[in-house]
Amino acid sequence: MITPRTLKGFRDYLPEAMIPRERLMQTARETFRSFGFAPIDTPALEYLEVLSGKGSDETDRQLYRFTDNGGRDVGMRFDLTVPLARFAAQHIAQLQTPFKRYHIAPVWRGENTQAGRYREFVQCDFDTIGTESVLADIEMVVVINALMSAIGLERFTIRINNRQVLSGLLEHLGLESHTVAILRSLDKLPKIGREKTAEEMVQAAGVTAEQADAVLELAQCTGSTDEVLAALERIADGNPTAATGIARLREIVTGAIAGGVPAERLQLDVSIARGLDYYTGVIVETFLDDLPSIGSVCSGGRYDNLAGLFTKQHLPGIGASLGLDRLLTALQQLELLPQVATPAPVMIALFDEQHRNDYLQMAYQLRRGGLGVELYSEPKKLGAQLKYAAEKGFDVAIVAGSDEWATGKVQVKDLKRKIAITTAYRHDAPGELIATINRVLEGAQLADEY
RNA sequence: GUGGGUGUAGCUCAGUUGGUUAGAGCGUCGGAUUGUGGUUCCGAAUGUCGAGGGUUCGAGUCCCUUCAUCCACCCCA
């Protein structure tokens, strides 16, 4: 016998897990499409050189790679952004710019697992390429807010930074060459605190204590966006790069607010750096206020030359990625996921098998009326059937025995509120029953959000 | 990749210094209740103690290896 098992970091999804998962994907799709992003897909496998070209040592280490049966060196994509760069370089002639696409698909990273971190997980990316307009930057923030709201979340914070602000300061301090090491240290600031971060910067990045202090002062500006912007201007001291970056941040924040994002969800935070070095402008991370420890659930930013490896054409872009599996882990920990094992809301009890064809006819009529309906398949005791319906998460059970069929009425049981409604029903006039069920479902939906 | 915790019934866990046939609660199934579900009562089933090897008269318990999972570092969705 072969032991049935799954690989480390790879998972099976039972209906209870898959139902909210599909719902989340559907919400993401609808949100992206409502902004005009169009779907694309790319292969899971790419030539190794395509994936490792831009990658750092870290991504190289996490890359699943092998030689295929034709002797080609191939790798499994570890994000959707590098495939997009290849895709754009390859097809740009047939695409109009700005090109807006969304891409919902699994990616693979051979790293160590943890809660909300898997080796196979789904990302929901949306990007706009071919424009440097600040409107695209603003739209990214607006989409993130719309997406999180559509999922049913209210308590989240979108942290915004602009690489140019820090670059400007580093330029001002004469530290451009240490940028990567400084960013790496800076990323630890929330975890290890200011003093240790300063120590590490001095040690790992080889800067002076004064320089480290200036960087940290910049990174620790807090308060309202106006306050932070004013403080940044003071510290950057007229450096042109930083000034450009700060002006851009101001435009993004005011634009996002005009675009419907509540101001309190936006927080300027110069300390967020993102490990990926391909970001060149604005950077965002999205944290759940009630579960910040899970990390960012939606991150992105501007990259002004991602396709440079694949084409001479200048292709600036901006976009972000929702971590579907991480978000689902978070929603589960916050107990915001319904425990439902059925995708259909209505179950018809097989109460009296003599009327089997009536039940089939009724199910047909209800489905034609737009309702998801399961007809119970065994003539078990009614109590057992109702128990099955309640535990599987159906909202409505239809009960009709010989008495009901004789009088032209059926019982609509509201399983969530435990009440029964008697409604007239005939196969050639199902309208009243459908209306009754819909009334119950509207109530049920209110009490049954994510 | 490095370091640490955990792994016993479907789930949450107990299992005393190694000692006969491995337990509890919840859940499941059957019945009380042959036309009405989340309560109550009665009854029942269920484990190669993650896997493999070793020490021992004897291992769920000790040792080694391995797999999975969680935590920290690293990195990130």
Side-chain angles (χ1 to χ4, degrees), chain A residues 332-394:
Chain A
Q332 192 182 13
Q333 284 184 21
L334 293 170
E335 295 178 354
L336 293 174
L337 291 181
Q339 291 294 307
V340 173
T342 170
V346 180
M347 192 195 89
I348 299 176
L350 186 63
F351 191 7
D352 181 351
E353 216 181 357
Q354 302 294 312
H355 287 279
R356 179 201 289 163
N357 289 339
D358 286 317
Y359 297 126
L360 284 164
Q361 176 73 223
M362 178 191 268
Y364 169 68
Q365 294 297 345
L366 294 183
R367 289 191 195 106
R368 274 186 37 159
L371 293 164
V373 180
E374 173 173 335
L375 173 57
Y376 197 79
S377 51
E378 288 184 64
K380 281 202 190 174
K381 287 197 310 183
L382 188 57
Q385 295 191 35
L386 289 171
K387 193 176 179 190
Y388 168 91
E391 289 181 359
K392 209 145 183 189
F394 285 92

Side-chain angles (χ1 to χ4, degrees), chain A residues 29 227 287 320 341 434:
Chain A
R29 267 193 286 272
E227 286 163 9
F287 290 88
I434 291 167

